[in-house]
């Protein structure tokens, strides 16, 4: 913790780092290697549940996901990075635009009126504020196989969740301020 003079004091146990390292050593690994000296063979076992657990844990840890009320989808694949670079990345986070929204009419003082596109933005932003806009939240876990194989085990955990707020990203002069006021007036 930090005292008023800006000095930092260690508040964890003195051997916390060693305990963490010891737990890390015995943790399951995404790849298990077995060397058979008699047959001179090396076997590699892929453990997708390890990568899947890492992705799922990153998605739910500290985010209030309460199973089994919410569903969580986990998938995985073995990826050869030399052949498929970049193909394992999820699509960009996207909440669809307001084109298909119905227009919300808001009464403004002085006889001013919102443009049709601004009325649709009000509808979309109110839906977000009321927790009625969903998107796919995704976390990835990529575990590279040791050595220079170029192989990775990639797990993806996904859940549908509500957008926890929003930002109006319109061009300068497009009326973001009046739309914000209309959202407030709409209640």
């Amino acid at each position: 913790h930090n005292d008023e003079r800006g000095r930092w004091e260690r508040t964890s146990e003195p051997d916390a780092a060693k305990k963490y390292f010891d737990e890390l050593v015995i943790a399951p690994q995404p790849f298990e290697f077995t060397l058979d000296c008699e047959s001179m063979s090396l076997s590699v076992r892929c453990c997708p549940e390890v990568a899947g657990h890492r992705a799922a844990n990153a998605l739910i840890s500290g985010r209030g996901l309460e199973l089994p009320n919410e569903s969580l989808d986990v998938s995985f694949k073995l990826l050869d990075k030399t052949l498929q670079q970049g193909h394992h990345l999820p699509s960009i986070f996207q909440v669809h635009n307001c084109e298909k929204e119905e227009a919300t009419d808001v009464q403004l003082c002085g006889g001013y009126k919102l443009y049709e596109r601004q009325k649709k933005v009000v509808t979309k932003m109110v839906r977000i504020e009321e927790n009625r806009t969903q998107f796919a939240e995704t976390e990835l876990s990529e575990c590279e196989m040791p050595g220079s194989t170029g192989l990775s085990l990639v797990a993806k955990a996904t859940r549908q969740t509500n957008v926890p707020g929003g930002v109006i990203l319109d061009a300068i002069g497009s009326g973001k301020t009046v739309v914000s006021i209309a959202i407030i007036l709409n209640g």
Side-chain angles (χ1 to χ4, degrees), residues 75-90:
S75 60
F76 60 90
K77 63 181 168 181
L78 189 60
L79 180 70
D80 183 344
K81 294 176 97 174
T82 61
L83 300 176
Q84 303 175 354
Q85 286 189 346
H87 289 268
H88 65 285
L89 298 176

Side-chain angles (χ1 to χ4, degrees), residues 64-119:
L65 180 64
E66 296 180 18
L67 297 175
N69 296 336
E70 294 188 47
S71 65
L72 184 67
D73 296 318
V74 180
S75 60
F76 60 90
K77 63 181 168 181
L78 189 60
L79 180 70
D80 183 344
K81 294 176 97 174
T82 61
L83 300 176
Q84 303 175 354
Q85 286 189 346
H87 289 268
H88 65 285
L89 298 176
S91 59
I92 297 172
F93 165 78
Q94 186 177 28
V95 174
H96 298 286
N97 65 23
C98 304
E99 273 181 25
K100 296 179 182 175
E101 297 288 342
E102 290 186 27
T104 298
D105 195 23
V106 178
Q107 298 299 318
L108 300 175
C109 295
Y112 294 101
K113 295 184 183 226
L114 296 175
Y115 293 113
E116 193 68 17
R117 64 177 172 72
Q118 292 172 324
K119 292 177 183 180

Side-chain angles (χ1 to χ4, degrees), residues 22 63 152 163 184:
D22 291 344
R63 296 187 187 176
S152 289
V163 176
I184 294 167

Side-chain angles (χ1 to χ4, degrees), residues 23-183:
E23 290 293 321
L24 194 58
V25 168
I26 63 171
Q29 298 300 310
F31 297 98
E32 293 177 1
F33 300 91
T34 306
L35 178 62
D36 186 344
C37 294
E38 284 184 26
S39 66
M40 299 292 290
S41 65
L42 174 67
S43 299
V44 179
R45 180 176 174 262
C46 181
C47 306
E49 64 276 4
V50 173
H53 182 269
R54 290 178 183 176
N57 186 55
L59 185 62
I60 64 177
S61 183
R63 296 187 187 176
L65 180 64
E66 296 180 18
L67 297 175
N69 296 336
E70 294 188 47
S71 65
L72 184 67
D73 296 318
V74 180
S75 60
F76 60 90
K77 63 181 168 181
L78 189 60
L79 180 70
D80 183 344
K81 294 176 97 174
T82 61
L83 300 176
Q84 303 175 354
Q85 286 189 346
H87 289 268
H88 65 285
L89 298 176
S91 59
I92 297 172
F93 165 78
Q94 186 177 28
V95 174
H96 298 286
N97 65 23
C98 304
E99 273 181 25
K100 296 179 182 175
E101 297 288 342
E102 290 186 27
T104 298
D105 195 23
V106 178
Q107 298 299 318
L108 300 175
C109 295
Y112 294 101
K113 295 184 183 226
L114 296 175
Y115 293 113
E116 193 68 17
R117 64 177 172 72
Q118 292 172 324
K119 292 177 183 180
K120 291 180 178 187
V121 171
V122 169
T123 303
K124 183 69 164 191
M125 294 305 291
V126 168
R127 288 186 69 209
I128 289 171
E129 289 296 317
E130 293 173 348
N131 283 328
R132 295 188 296 135
T133 302
Q134 295 247 314
F135 76 102
E137 184 178 14
T138 301
E139 285 288 344
L140 292 177
S141 171
E142 183 173 0
C143 306
E144 291 187 22
M145 182 185 287
S148 56
T149 62
L151 296 175
S152 289
L153 179 60
V154 179
K156 178 172 86 169
T158 306
R159 72 173 176 150
Q160 291 296 316
T161 188
N162 291 323
V163 176
V167 177
I168 303 170
L169 296 173
D170 279 339
I172 295 173
S174 63
K176 293 180 293 294
T177 303
V178 73
V179 166
S180 299
I181 292 168
I183 292 167

